Amino acid sequence: MTARGLPKEIVAPSRALNQAHGKTYYLATLLLARHLRPYVFALYGFCRYVDDIVDVERDDDARRLAKVDSFGERFLAEVARGDSDEPILAATIATIERFNMPISYFERFLGSMRQDFLVRRYPRIDDLLAYMDGSAAVIGEMMLPILGVDNPEAQAPARALGNAFQMTNFLRDINEDLDRGRIYVPEEDIDRFGAWEAFEQRKVTDEFRNLMAFEIARTRRWYAESYAGDDYLRGRALRCIRVARQVYGAILDEIEALDYDVFSARASVARTRRLQLLVRAAVAAC
């Protein structure tokens, strides 16, 4: 199937998920060449579909884990068959075939999604990074062939950007994750800053502010490391990544503007600022 031959009807559900739930990514994707956008929508749709089983559906953990496993088994079987009756899977399979993506990328992703049912806390940053390998860093690897990059040296910056996006989510969503019984901030860091009271009582303390400042600084270092990948990008692909990095990274600014109070409000970038950052990043890439 050629890039221009991906049928709209199988892309539509993935695009709708992206437009509804991933506004920053959707905005950035619109800067790509039109014939490449459906493949990015397909990857987003696949990941979002599984993520919704993990975090949105109301069944108990055992049933949701069984659904993730069933979905993964069906997906791998249909990849082997080369087609699916489910549009989101059909679009993903077409993307895998078009860009010759290793199935291991998707197995790693599914493995991390399973882990959300089995692991509630991460003792050390290395433990969290092992989880993020499948939930975030691998997404950066998936994107490289779509962006026209085949240099192995581009993998490390792509993985860094995936990790930066994921950690930005974790810091923004601490309160929601507590509702799910999960903490994605490494326990060693919470211990170091003596910030457990903030998590237990869901209130901002000086210790929590210091912890968040530390985590934000580390996340910004990952964003900074990702700039090395710009050397392998050109034109629309470069604009796309610059916009995603600038707009999503601005969530960290918003967390700071809230005085780190992620318990009372959800940090978000206003539409006007997203558009300003869009223009700035697009111009900078020219």
Side-chain angles (χ1 to χ4, degrees):
M1 184 178 294
T2 66
R4 297 180 189 279
L6 193 57
K8 290 183 179 180
E9 59 270 21
I10 70 169
V11 177
S14 294
R15 178 171 184 154
L17 283 173
N18 197 166
Q19 194 168 9
H21 301 289
K23 292 181 173 60
T24 294
Y25 299 132
Y26 183 78
L27 179 70
T29 299
L30 294 181
L31 293 173
L32 284 177
R34 187 178 297 273
H35 70 279
L36 293 178
R37 296 173 198 167
Y39 298 108
V40 181
F41 297 147
L43 292 182
Y44 183 93
F46 175 86
C47 295
R48 183 74 199 195
Y49 187 92
V50 181
D51 192 59
D52 280 352
I53 297 174
V54 175
D55 287 337
V56 177
E57 293 194 11
R58 295 179 180 270
D59 275 344
D60 61 42
D61 282 1
R63 289 182 180 178
R64 284 184 290 133
L65 177 56
K67 286 182 180 180
V68 170
D69 287 341
S70 177
F71 175 86
E73 290 169 5
R74 175 186 175 186
F75 169 67
L76 294 174
E78 292 183 343
V79 168
R81 193 180 78 196
D83 196 13
S84 175
D85 295 329
E86 167 63 49
I88 288 176
L89 292 184
T92 306
I93 291 167
T95 302
I96 291 169
E97 292 180 347
R98 170 65 179 81
F99 296 99
N100 195 29
M101 290 184 181
I103 301 304
S104 60
Y105 286 172
F106 299 87
E107 291 172 331
R108 285 157 59 195
F109 174 78
L110 290 167
S112 285
M113 294 304 96
R114 291 190 87 256
Q115 190 168 320
D116 276 328
F117 297 104
L118 307 173
V119 179
R120 299 295 182 177
R121 297 182 180 184
Y122 294 85
R124 297 171 298 279
I125 184 60
D126 288 346
D127 300 312
L128 183 63
L129 285 170
Y131 167 81
M132 290 165 65
D133 171 72
S135 69
V138 74
I139 309 299
E141 294 178 51
M142 291 179 187
M143 283 293 297
L144 288 175
I146 298 176
L147 297 175
V149 179
D150 62 1
N151 191 319
E153 293 185 6
Q155 283 203 351
R159 289 174 55 84
L161 186 57
N163 285 337
F165 287 156
Q166 177 84 93
M167 198 66 193
T168 299
N169 279 342
F170 288 159
L171 298 177
R172 179 194 62 192
D173 296 340
I174 284 174
N175 197 53
E176 294 175 29
D177 288 328
L178 283 171
D179 289 340
R180 301 178 182 119
R182 302 185 203 134
I183 296 177
Y184 290 102
V185 177
E187 290 181 302
E188 64 182 358
D189 297 344
I190 303 175
D191 287 337
R192 173 182 175 182
F193 291 96
W196 280 109
E197 180 185 356
F199 287 86
E200 293 163 358
Q201 300 187 15
R202 302 199 192 197
K203 70 176 186 180
V204 177
T205 62
D206 288 341
E207 293 81 3
F208 183 76
R209 291 186 183 94
N210 292 335
L211 168 68
M212 290 293 282
F214 174 81
E215 301 297 343
I216 286 174
R218 175 160 54 200
T219 306
R220 283 181 172 144
R221 287 196 294 274
W222 287 335
Y223 278 114
E225 290 171 13
S226 77
Y227 274 96
D230 290 5
D231 292 342
Y232 306 98
L233 299 170
R234 298 290 182 272
R236 287 176 174 266
L238 179 58
R239 292 182 179 90
C240 172
I241 294 303
R242 283 269 173 94
V243 166
R245 182 194 293 124
Q246 292 294 323
V247 178
Y248 220 79
I251 293 173
L252 299 177
D253 301 335
E254 299 302 322
I255 293 174
E256 291 172 329
L258 292 170
D259 195 26
Y260 306 108
D261 189 0
V262 293
F263 302 109
S264 301
R266 192 172 192 267
S268 62
V269 181
R271 185 174 182 274
T272 52
R273 189 171 185 217
R274 289 202 305 267
L275 293 175
Q276 289 171 349
L277 291 169
L278 167 66
V279 172
R280 185 185 307 168
V283 169
C286 293

